[in-house]
Amino acid sequence: MKVAKVRSRILRTPADNPLVVGLPKPAATREFVTVEIETDDGVDGIGITFFGGPLTGALKQAVDALGELTLGEDPLRPEAVAAKLRRAAGGAGPGGVFTLALSAIDIALWDIKGKALGQPVSRLVGGYRDRAPTYASGALLRQHPLGYLEEAGPRLVGMGFRQMKTQLGAEPTAAPPSNASASCARVSATTSTSCATSTSSGA
């Protein structure tokens, strides 16, 4: 089995909130880059990655460039293919657009391997557990007012989430740092949960 075709595209979806009803953003969209890898045996795999903003086109180009390097490779050896792509990237990685592009290719290759072997990918990478805890991320963003947090938090609890992530500060439009603890306390009070804070260099 060899990789025969690689196709990518930009997928635009409405910027709604899949967990709770977010603040209205007329005509707002989110852009994802998807990739489909097809083998000479007819088995295909799909991967997805996301950057957002004006660099979505650049991310697609990176996916296309890495996809070209996978042609003729064995999709049942995703780690070996990923190692080849890392070597080809040279000083471009790890991190940044390279890693985002590589993730889409990697997901698609594992998808192919799972289909070819008739096994879920979770089992192929170890299968340590058949259930995993989740937390709600992306619903309690830093730009939302306190009133919104009061409504969204209990709804997430009602959906079964025992943990949720919220963003505090770090943006020019965000509430001042003194309000960060107030936001955390408001969510905690309306959901009857404890509130712990930590710092992160990511989102």
Side-chain angles (χ1 to χ4, degrees), residues 19-50:
L19 294 179
V20 293
V21 178
L23 300 179
K25 295 181 179 179
T29 60
R30 290 191 180 95
E31 296 182 340
F32 300 87
V33 177
T34 64
V35 63
E36 182 178 359
I37 298 179
E38 185 177 329
T39 70
D40 54 2
D41 286 354
V43 181
D44 64 348
I46 297 175
I48 188 170
T49 186
F50 169 78

Side-chain angles (χ1 to χ4, degrees), residues 58-85:
L59 177 56
K60 182 182 183 301
Q61 291 180 356
V63 170
D64 290 338
L66 294 183
E68 286 289 326
L69 296 176
T70 68
L71 294 175
E73 295 293 332
D74 183 354
L76 301 185
R77 302 179 65 223
E79 297 98 332
V81 177
K84 173 186 176 179
L85 300 184

